[in-house]
Amino acid sequence: MSAENIEIVRTTYQALDKGDLQHIGEQFSEEVEWETPESLPLGGIARGRDAVLGRIAGLLQLWSEFSLEPDEYIDAGERIIVRGVQRAVGPGGASESRYLHVFTLRGGKIVRAEYIADTATAMGALRVHER
């Protein structure tokens, strides 16, 4: 099942890159949880497919450019850990930082995801510089 889990996560990243929220939603269980650091806009835990998709849509609207570029998919059984680089441009400038996503899958669906990253770098790019 782990190879299948990696493929589910990989296609979810590809769908995010295309802005295909419908495909992303198809990979989530109805009860999915998405955890993002509280220090970020839209941070905290979103529960349920609709709430998580709303959080992702809101996140994409914060940035004029946004990409997640996975470097490595680590098979940990029902968990898939993804290491990569996030690049984004916001009102305060550009941001580039390493990230980890920890996905938990059951029955071929993502049931939980946790985002771990350098939030200070992202927040700097979201701030409008005062003049």
Side-chain angles (χ1 to χ4, degrees):
M1 189 63 161
S2 292
E4 291 172 12
N5 287 347
I6 288 174
E7 190 57 26
I8 290 166
V9 171
R10 188 184 316 273
T11 63
T12 302
Y13 273 98
Q14 291 167 348
L16 180 65
D17 193 42
K18 296 175 188 172
D20 186 351
L21 292 178
Q22 179 177 344
H23 180 82
I24 294 169
E26 292 169 359
Q27 308 315 305
F28 293 153
S29 77
E30 285 287 332
E31 299 81 30
V32 66
E33 289 187 349
W34 188 279
E35 184 175 356
T36 304
E38 292 276 350
S39 58
L40 291 174
L42 306 173
I45 298 175
R47 290 182 173 87
R49 183 183 295 154
D50 291 340
V52 171
L53 289 173
R55 177 85 47 96
I56 292 170
L59 169 76
L60 294 175
Q61 290 178 0
L62 290 173
W63 304 100
S64 59
E65 295 178 31
F66 180 84
S67 69
L68 293 173
E69 300 168 15
D71 294 331
E72 181 178 13
Y73 295 84
I74 302 166
D75 179 355
E78 72 174 11
R79 288 193 174 85
I80 303 299
I81 301 162
V82 182
R83 293 183 39 202
V85 176
Q86 173 183 299
R87 291 184 174 86
V89 177
S95 167
E96 180 175 316
S97 63
R98 303 284 309 159
Y99 72 85
L100 290 175
H101 272 148
V102 180
F103 293 93
T104 304
L105 293 94
R106 288 192 197 102
K109 297 287 183 185
I110 297 169
V111 297
R112 187 166 202 302
E114 182 178 358
Y115 173 71
I116 303 162
D118 177 356
T119 60
T121 301
M123 288 304 296
L126 285 173
R127 286 193 190 96
V128 177
H129 294 295
E130 296 191 20
R131 295 172 191 218

